[in-house]
Amino acid sequence: MIVQHVVPGRSMNQVSTSELNWDALYADLAPRVYNYFRYRLGREADVEDLTSRTFEKAWRSRAHYRRDLAGFSAWLFKIAQNVGVDYLSTRRSHLPLEAAIDVTADGTPELQEELRSDLARLARLTATLPARERELIALKYGASLTNRLIAELTGLSESNIGTLLHRLVRTLRAQWYGGVSALDE
Amino acid sequence: MNDDFLNRIRKAPPPEFLRELKDRLDRQTAAPVRARRPSFIRGLIVGLLLSGAAFALTSLSINGAPHSLRAFVRAPVELLARVVTGGRDSVKTEIESLDSRKPVPFGPAWLPTHAAQQSQPPASPGGAGSDRQPIAVPASAEAGAQGARLVAVPSRNPTFTIDASPGAYLPALAAADRWSHGSGSIQVSLDTQGTAIGRLCGDGLPGGISPDMVELSRRITADEFHTCTRNGSNPLVEVKIGYQAVLLARGRLYGTLRLSARDIFLALAKRIPDPGHPETLIENPYRTWIQIDDALPYDHIQVIGPAPDSTPGKLATQLLLEAGCNSYPWIAALRGHNEARYHEICDTVRSDGAYEGDGATAAGDAEYAFTEKLVGTPTALGILTLPMFRDYQDTLVLNPIDDIEPTDVTLADHSYPAGRTLYLYIQKRHARSIVMVPIVANGFLDKWWLSPNGFADWGLVQLDETERAAMRADLQTLKELQF
């Protein structure tokens, strides 16, 4: 957890903003945020843009970071969630984002390759899931967050998250392996 | 949980992207923090603090220091309570028996003008703490009638206290944690002797400590109630707050076993009554169900539940074993006079492998593994909570006990053997005079205590909406308990 290697021996709640090692935070959190958007959108396009927007917002406002309210990573992912929601609502007025992955037509070779990727496969499997479930998958497997942090971000209980994720993974795994029973895996 | 297929989709961001973004961030100047303008709320808070400080200083200058810091801290709460109740009820009942003409002072209890100070009782040999404020109450109904003989008792504890029976201890801890915000201002005492109701009613005075609230995993008995009444206790208010229940389940493929509560006790208890001499205990010799009852199959006894030394494990074994244990009258009778012996016999689970303590107590991977084990093991019975079973009823089948399944109805009418009801008892006087009492009591009816909080909610079943509304109404009106 980032807290330990930012200021060893002290919890994030005790760290003042000026003491935070922003370079270490960036190195730890940038790949998480990047993958959060990949899993959430189910595509590579726009992920870098959204990651940049998230960090730029956070860095610009980091002096306002309320260390007494939440850990920095929770704060950053709350920003990322908002950035993602804004993006999705904008896109949806033009084209459902989840449907975008199914639009093949005259795509570039990169797009064709992307459509064949595991990420695209995941996007197809999760396309019919409610937004909350897709968000959980993105937070858990994209951002590699703990259930506790996810609970903080989603307002669900930790145990509820555990159960939801468990069912989701079981369903997705069965679909992923083409109907092979989860027990056989 | 095999989720490699999800993990392997993750990839590292392109290094050039990370570099460029970092450069941009490094060039970005952070927005300055604007100085906050004083808000109305802040002004109000400052005003309240200043007036509170002024009040405290004035009190100190007039009356001198309170006899303890705790008493000093409690004073504003008491004052608030008196404002709310108009100073009528908090001490009225006690004072009336002393002298109904004497006015009740409108100030904190530690102020020298407090009515309780008017009769300085001798120090109690029981050693009531110096920070406990004596008040005058009738020692008994007879004494109350005479209106003369008074004993010194602690008015209330310096902190808000809940006495809880062992089965109700966890929910009480959760409540304390919730309402004290970790400050320790709510203290939960484990009542292993079964004397909590006695203390609530003022038994064992002087020197005893009367809790503000008692939480039991059983209902108050008629004897206890009448003892309270005889001792001149203030009326009690009873709040039913929910149930504790566990159930047995098997893989759906294997069907159910027709088990009685006694069968379960004989299968799982460490020591059981000798079939030839039921008043003698022997080490549990049973290995298969058919040894217990010819009608049961020739299957190994294999029950999987929470680790027996864990809190859920203790709760599960209590709930599952005690019903069967009570079917032996001589053991059930122990409860009245040798509680420790009773629990030793009824709550000690065997450790020879028939009971496996690797059941799951929280949602997630362990729970899934546990249910998969049940699905894959024909002879295994699992101990689950109701919510857990509901999550897996597509693969598991509920095993009734005494042909009864746990439902809202069978829990409410106490017919389901592996369930029991949790009750809260408060003194009506406390509910009126101590601000926290109705707050905490109402809190027990909220949904919060069924949210995960360690193991606090393991096995808990909340009342349905109708019952909760009824309980809230009883609390609102402080309906007196009657037998």
Side-chain angles (χ1 to χ4, degrees):
Chain A
M1 184 68 190
I2 54 169
V3 174
Q4 275 83 38
H5 63 244
V6 173
V7 183
R10 294 172 63 182
S11 80
M12 180 65 85
N13 288 348
Q14 298 168 304
V15 177
S16 75
T17 313
S18 59
E19 283 179 277
L20 287 173
N21 182 340
W22 297 107
D23 290 345
L25 280 174
Y26 176 79
D28 183 82
L29 290 170
R32 292 167 183 249
V33 173
Y34 177 84
N35 277 293
Y36 163 73
F37 284 120
R38 286 181 69 241
Y39 279 62
R40 185 68 185 87
L41 307 185
R43 54 187 290 184
E44 305 286 357
D46 298 328
V47 165
E48 291 185 6
D49 179 39
L50 296 180
T51 307
S52 300
R53 273 194 236 171
T54 302
F55 273 93
E56 282 162 3
K57 278 191 177 192
W59 249 239
R60 197 163 46 238
S61 314
R62 63 190 177 185
H64 298 282
Y65 162 56
R66 298 284 301 277
R67 60 188 182 279
D68 55 330
L69 289 183
F72 185 82
S73 48
W75 182 68
L76 183 75
F77 275 100
K78 188 49 90 178
I79 295 174
Q81 281 183 307
N82 291 335
V83 167
V85 167
D86 287 349
Y87 173 84
L88 287 170
S89 59
T90 316
R91 294 280 300 191
R92 208 161 270 141
S93 59
H94 304 292
L95 179 73
L97 187 78
E98 285 73 24
I101 204 68
D102 291 326
V103 179
T104 50
D106 52 355
T108 60
E110 289 78 14
L111 178 59
Q112 295 297 334
E113 178 59 32
E114 185 180 331
L115 289 173
R116 284 192 294 273
S117 70
D118 281 349
L119 184 61
R121 198 169 163 201
L122 177 68
R124 279 194 293 274
L125 293 182
T126 55
T128 54
L129 293 175
R132 184 186 70 172
E133 270 74 354
R134 289 201 301 272
E135 181 72 16
L136 288 181
I137 293 283
L139 290 169
K140 180 71 179 178
Y141 293 99
S144 302
L145 298 184
T146 61
N147 287 5
R148 173 158 299 192
L149 198 48
I150 296 174
E152 204 176 315
L153 288 165
T154 58
L156 298 169
S157 69
E158 265 186 84
S159 119
N160 198 0
I161 285 166
T163 307
L164 284 170
L165 279 171
H166 182 76
R167 286 180 184 160
L168 274 170
V169 172
R170 193 166 43 168
T171 308
L172 289 174
R173 187 171 51 209
Q175 294 171 345
W176 188 270
Y177 292 106
V180 178
S181 158
L183 278 175
D184 299 334
E185 274 305 306
Chain B
M1 183 158 58
N2 183 356
D3 49 10
D4 288 348
F5 70 103
L6 285 170
N7 283 315
R8 70 176 180 234
I9 300 173
R10 210 162 37 238
K11 72 169 195 182
E16 62 276 16
F17 161 68
L18 287 179
R19 231 180 357 258
E20 284 170 16
L21 175 57
K22 184 67 171 55
D23 288 344
R24 279 208 305 280
L25 294 176
D26 287 343
R27 285 196 300 273
Q28 186 177 281
T29 49
V33 183
R34 283 175 300 177
R36 293 184 182 180
R37 290 180 183 176
S39 66
F40 172 76
I41 298 290
R42 198 175 302 165
L44 187 65
I45 291 170
V46 170
L48 285 172
L49 285 173
L50 287 175
S51 53
F55 170 76
L57 287 172
T58 308
S59 296
L60 284 170
S61 63
I62 294 171
N63 303 299
H67 54 81
S68 78
L69 181 60
R70 280 177 172 173
F72 180 74
V73 173
R74 285 174 63 94
V77 179
E78 292 190 2
L79 179 59
L80 181 61
R82 283 154 197 248
V83 170
V84 170
T85 61
R88 297 183 305 274
D89 304 308
S90 59
V91 290
K92 186 175 179 181
T93 45
E94 299 111 359
I95 300 304
E96 274 177 351
S97 64
L98 179 68
D99 184 345
S100 61
R101 292 166 298 177
K102 287 179 180 168
V104 178
F106 199 69
W110 49 263
L111 288 178
T113 52
H114 188 253
Q117 300 278 330
Q118 291 163 0
S119 69
Q120 286 292 340
S124 120
S130 60
D131 55 354
R132 304 200 187 293
Q133 180 62 43
I135 59 169
V137 296
S140 65
E142 292 77 12
Q146 292 162 6
R149 194 170 72 82
L150 301 169
V151 294
V153 296
S155 61
R156 293 194 296 268
N157 303 321
T159 54
F160 186 92
T161 58
I162 303 175
D163 278 11
S165 65
Y169 187 57
L170 279 178
L173 278 182
D177 191 45
R178 161 87 174 179
W179 295 107
S180 68
H181 304 290
S183 70
S185 59
I186 298 180
Q187 186 182 342
V188 180
S189 302
L190 177 63
D191 173 39
T192 54
Q193 304 297 317
T195 53
I197 283 289
R199 284 196 298 280
L200 181 69
C201 295
D203 274 353
L205 303 175
I209 298 171
S210 178
D212 295 305
M213 190 173 277
V214 167
E215 192 192 353
L216 300 181
S217 54
R218 61 170 176 83
R219 199 172 183 221
I220 187 175
T221 63
D223 280 351
E224 287 171 328
F225 175 77
H226 293 308
T227 304
C228 278
T229 311
R230 273 198 307 276
N231 285 348
S233 163
N234 272 274
L236 296 182
V237 177
E238 178 186 73
V239 186
K240 181 175 161 185
I241 54 177
Y243 309 101
Q244 288 174 310
V246 291
L247 56 85
L248 292 174
R250 299 224 301 174
R252 190 164 277 283
L253 281 175
Y254 318 120
T256 59
L257 294 180
R258 191 162 190 183
L259 297 176
S260 67
R262 180 180 277 206
D263 292 338
I264 295 168
F265 169 69
L266 292 176
L268 294 180
K270 183 174 172 55
R271 288 167 64 79
I272 59 166
D274 184 343
H277 307 88
E279 300 206 350
T280 314
L281 294 175
I282 55 170
E283 288 296 315
N284 194 328
Y286 300 128
R287 295 289 176 271
T288 57
W289 288 105
I290 198 170
Q291 292 175 307
I292 296 172
D293 182 343
D294 289 343
L296 292 172
Y298 184 75
D299 282 348
H300 277 291
I301 297 169
Q302 184 183 12
V303 178
I304 310 171
D309 55 347
S310 68
T311 308
K314 287 174 185 163
L315 176 63
T317 48
Q318 266 185 24
L319 290 170
L320 276 174
L321 299 189
E322 284 188 5
C325 194
N326 290 339
S327 67
Y328 293 91
W330 72 270
I331 303 179
L334 286 174
R335 194 161 206 168
H337 62 274
N338 193 346
E339 192 100 1
R341 175 78 172 138
Y342 171 84
H343 288 298
E344 183 194 338
I345 298 171
C346 295
D347 302 341
T348 309
V349 73
R350 61 197 297 183
S351 54
D352 56 1
Y355 182 90
E356 297 175 24
D358 58 355
T361 52
D365 293 354
E367 182 182 282
Y368 180 68
F370 168 50
T371 55
E372 289 297 288
K373 185 170 182 179
L374 290 180
V375 169
T377 316
T379 53
L381 273 164
I383 301 174
L384 288 84
T385 61
L386 265 73
M388 198 192 298
F389 175 72
R390 287 188 193 117
D391 284 347
Y392 291 94
Q393 54 187 329
D394 52 337
T395 52
L396 300 179
V397 61
L398 191 154
N399 202 105
I401 302 172
D402 287 335
D403 293 327
I404 299 168
E405 295 188 356
T407 63
D408 286 345
V409 175
T410 58
L411 287 172
D413 65 13
H414 308 292
S415 58
Y416 179 64
R420 62 189 177 196
T421 310
L422 293 176
Y423 292 94
L424 207 61
Y425 292 94
I426 50 183
Q427 275 208 20
K428 190 172 181 177
R429 174 173 60 92
H430 285 191
R432 283 183 166 162
S433 62
I434 303 175
V435 176
M436 284 296 283
V437 169
I439 293 174
V440 176
N442 267 300
F444 273 103
L445 295 171
D446 286 343
K447 285 189 172 169
W448 65 265
W449 68 295
L450 284 181
S451 64
N453 184 1
F455 293 139
D457 67 339
W458 198 88
L460 288 176
V461 182
Q462 195 158 35
L463 299 179
D464 63 30
E465 286 298 334
T466 313
E467 270 196 298
R468 269 197 295 160
M471 286 302 121
R472 282 194 196 287
D474 286 355
L475 254 177
Q476 182 75 26
T477 57
L478 296 179
K479 183 181 172 189
E480 291 179 15
L481 175 65
Q482 299 290 343
F483 261 87

